[in-house]
Amino acid sequence: MPAAQTFFRIGVVIALMTMSHWSNAAELPPSVVSTLEHHKLDPAGLSVFAQEIGGDVVLSFNSDQPRNPASTMKVVTGLAALEILRPGYRWQTRFYSDAEPSNGVLNGDIYLVGGGDPYLVQERVWLMLQALKRRGVTTIAGDLVLDDSLFEPIIEDTGAFDNQPFRIYNALPSAVLTNFNSTYFVFRPSGNRVAIEAFPEMPDLSINNQLRIAQRSCGGYRRGIALSMQKANVARFDGRFPNRCRRYGFTRSVLAPETYTAGLIRSLWTQLGGELEGKTRVGTPGDEAYRLLTFDSLNAGDVTRLMNKHSSNLIARHLLLTMGGEQFGWPATEHNGRKAITEWLDRKGLVFPELIIENGAGRSRDARISARNLTRLVIAGYQSQYMPEFLASLALLGQDGTLDDRHQRTSLNGKAHLKTGRLDHVTAIAGVMQNRHGKRFALTVFHNDHNVHRGLGEAVQDSLLQWLDNYSGPAAATGSP
């Protein structure tokens, strides 16, 4: 076949493929089609479903296609937690000892029994230890023993997802989790070297500082800093740090949860004037152990809000495990957490055959749900007895959470409560919006396409939100406002 004829046939095939995609895109509003064309995005990667609450579907495009939802999967986990655990649910962290304290001295070991509290941050650990002091404890003569048996161990390579093993979003759940297992490292030029500080202070964390000064402006990926762990508790920093950076910092998870929690407790206990003389180990209290303190978490309504507003993977994974434990017994497993959610959906008459939940957080390449069904779930949340808690958990467009820097100065500010999602080549939003005509919609937008996470997906989302804001009646269902 002549080369010219071959190229002509290839061109026809490409043209037909393109026409097929864009003829389907005619179901989309013209402004959205224009945005897709401008950014050279294939509409085949986009799914949209929007329905007026209590009314009709106003837009449906590829809405039954299973998509990766990224962190909008937390909408499923969050609503399930509100209805299964209920907003008033609290996790409990307990302290036990071998004997009662006498004259401020605890002559024996002290046991911290982890309750899976996902928001036992540094300030709350301080409050917990202060409450322990009020129980008459100042000196602990024995060991600090951590009981992390409430959750089945999760065996997972934290670097497998994206080769970022020390990022907080990749940290693993633990029944004795504190402060998201996070350490904040601060870097400052100091003469011909770089000074490194770690917060909070961790007595068991050592720093091997191999950073050198580079004569250049402040910029570059992580300012040229490379982090590795030489041993379980030795953080090594290599690279060339710009001398024109006055200060730079990042947060990482570098210690095992048991090591981190023990270090945080020892550090704060010393600050409170206490003494802890023994070593740290893992174990469980005996049947005759004396209960010193029960420390309650924030309630599940507040925790769900913190999860969705700030898209915390660790909170989502703790919620999944807790639902599994409460429904099917302890120690908790992710399998039972997934089972708890699917049985809850069945009881609500929400059958999502395409649904794949991996860890409840959306940090997954395999998680799947359709735009239609996630919108159905949003509507179920709007109709739930816990609707105020559900809506309040979602980021308010232009004002807080993961949406605080979007539409701060446009007419869309404050008009939508949305959960966002973002992975490499994935963007998503799901939630509720009230438009300028007083109409309220539930909506989901999934976009799985090359490089959409680099701002292109947000441009498409913005076009859809603007279109919904102007929507006044059924004519818009054909693509015309």
Side-chain angles (χ1 to χ4, degrees), residues 429-458:
I429 53 172
V432 175
M433 175 182 181
Q434 179 170 312
N435 77 357
R436 66 178 62 203
H437 302 293
K439 294 180 179 292
R440 187 162 289 172
F441 307 94
L443 69 142
T444 298
V445 181
F446 291 153
H447 210 162
N448 294 184
D449 199 0
H450 183 66
N451 276 342
V452 288
H453 65 290
R454 299 184 183 277
L456 307 182
E458 288 187 7

Side-chain angles (χ1 to χ4, degrees), residues 201-322:
E201 295 180 5
M202 286 283 123
D204 292 324
L205 176 63
S206 299
I207 293 177
N208 181 355
N209 184 357
Q210 298 295 321
L211 284 172
R212 294 174 293 164
I213 288 289
Q215 303 297 319
R216 59 182 175 84
S217 60
C218 187
Y221 179 63
R222 291 193 305 205
R223 305 302 185 270
I225 300 169
L227 165 64
S228 60
M229 294 300 291
Q230 284 183 294
K231 300 177 182 176
N233 63 341
V234 180
R236 174 172 172 143
F237 294 93
D238 292 280
R240 294 175 61 81
F241 187 75
N243 67 326
R244 296 181 191 173
C245 288
R246 297 180 61 184
R247 178 184 178 277
Y248 178 69
F250 56 60
T251 302
R252 295 292 185 267
S253 176
V254 295
L255 295 173
E258 299 84 4
T259 304
Y260 184 95
T261 293
L264 182 60
I265 287 173
R266 286 179 180 275
S267 179
L268 294 180
W269 188 246
T270 300
Q271 291 177 31
L272 286 166
E275 295 182 60
L276 210 170
E277 297 176 354
K279 63 181 184 299
T280 300
R281 56 188 175 88
V282 174
T284 57
D287 294 338
E288 303 301 319
Y290 172 77
R291 185 186 294 192
L292 285 167
L293 175 70
T294 297
F295 186 77
D296 286 345
S297 71
L298 300 179
N299 66 48
D302 288 336
V303 169
T304 300
R305 176 178 54 82
L306 289 162
M307 173 191 72
N308 277 335
K309 291 280 191 186
H310 304 288
S311 204
S312 169
N313 290 344
L314 269 173
I315 292 180
R317 298 187 73 166
H318 274 237
L319 287 175
L320 185 75
L321 287 162
T322 303

